[in-house]
Amino acid sequence: MENKRIVTGDRPTGRLHIGHYFGSLVNRVKLQDKYETYILVADVQALTDNFNNPEKVRKNVRELVIDYLSCGIDPKKSTIYIQSMIPETAELTVFYSNLVTIARLQRNPTVKTEIAQKKELFGESVTYGFLGYPVSQAADITVLDGEIVPAGEDQEPLIEQCREIVRKFNSIYGEVLKEPQIYLSENKRIKGLDGNDKMGKSLGNAIYISDSPEEITKKIMGAVTDPARIKKDDPGNPDICMVSYYHKLFSSEDECKTICEECKAGKRGCVACKKQLAKNTIEFLRPMREKREYLEAHPEIVDEILKEGTAKAKKEAEKTMKKVKKAMKLGY
Ligand code: ATP
Ligand code: MG
């Protein structure tokens, strides 16, 4: 075990898709053997853009944990816990709010993109909570001394913001906090079934880890292919075909090579290609689906993991807060 901690997590706003899987989950599963790992279910952060829908957040807490466990997160190696049960994080967020300017938050490219996407919710003026979620995220990571954050590419500006807060804190109050680093996967961003640059829950272009074989087949049959290819024996361009793109994730190297050659030569129809992809994707996700079915039938296992994980994370957060408060002359 190396002496650094991983702190990472997701918002419980829906089930996880293969973008999450290849973007961050594979790394978390791999790294949990090497580093002490904490994974938070970010329910408070989920409320920043779902404050009007608490049921949705609540319902997805267990779903998210089931996805984690199905994909190979091992509760013996990774501590899974609920963000709202660690009030120390909220306290630290308040302290950090003095160390970051409003202009800096407004310049954060990830937040900027997200605000633009959420016009319907926010109208012309975004909430204080949403604009400030990078501050709360910085508290999530640092309250547990996180130094490594396996996440997708869109998290980069948020980690950078966290690093700035840490540096500012340490320069004013003394060296208390650790500066985290993002750990990107080689698949930094998985594209959507519709050809969109990003697969996303709210974009309606995702294959979920928990999708049934029927759903997977239906989605793949509707995936975007080379639009210039009209007849089966027209030569295709796999570089702009989503089916070819996903074959690289789910099919063997040999299969990919053959598919690519036959497509370019106009010898392989899109329907056959999609059917093969659906079969391979269903097979790839089978063990996860089976694990999910088991856990769905045993919710008490999930609840116990969360209970234990949260108690452990809380203890660690309390330790950090003691140091933080002492440094800030708040240690009464
Ligand atoms: P939403 O559409 O509601 O924003 P989402 O599908 O983008 O949902 P998030 O909960 O925002 O999912 O994602 C959590 C994290 O998972 C992201 O910050 C990112 O690091 C990673 N992630 C999400 N989608 C992808 C993707 N398509 N490729 C790689 N990583 C991804
Ligand atoms: Mg997102």
Side-chain angles (χ1 to χ4, degrees), residues 18-30:
I18 60 168
H20 296 116
Y21 183 80
F22 290 105
S24 62
L25 272 173
V26 273
N27 275 337
R28 296 177 189 173
V29 170
K30 189 177 78 186

Side-chain angles (χ1 to χ4, degrees), residues 237-275:
N237 178 3
D239 294 341
I240 54 168
C241 170
M242 295 321 294
V243 177
S244 155
Y245 173 80
Y246 294 126
H247 265 300
K248 292 193 192 98
L249 298 173
F250 295 113
S251 306
S252 70
E253 239 174 80
D254 282 351
E255 265 179 309
C256 288
K257 199 163 160 260
T258 316
I259 286 161
C260 200
E261 283 168 5
E262 290 185 2
C263 172
K264 281 182 181 161
K267 284 189 190 149
R268 165 181 290 262
C270 292
V271 172
C273 198
K274 285 174 168 175
K275 280 190 179 154

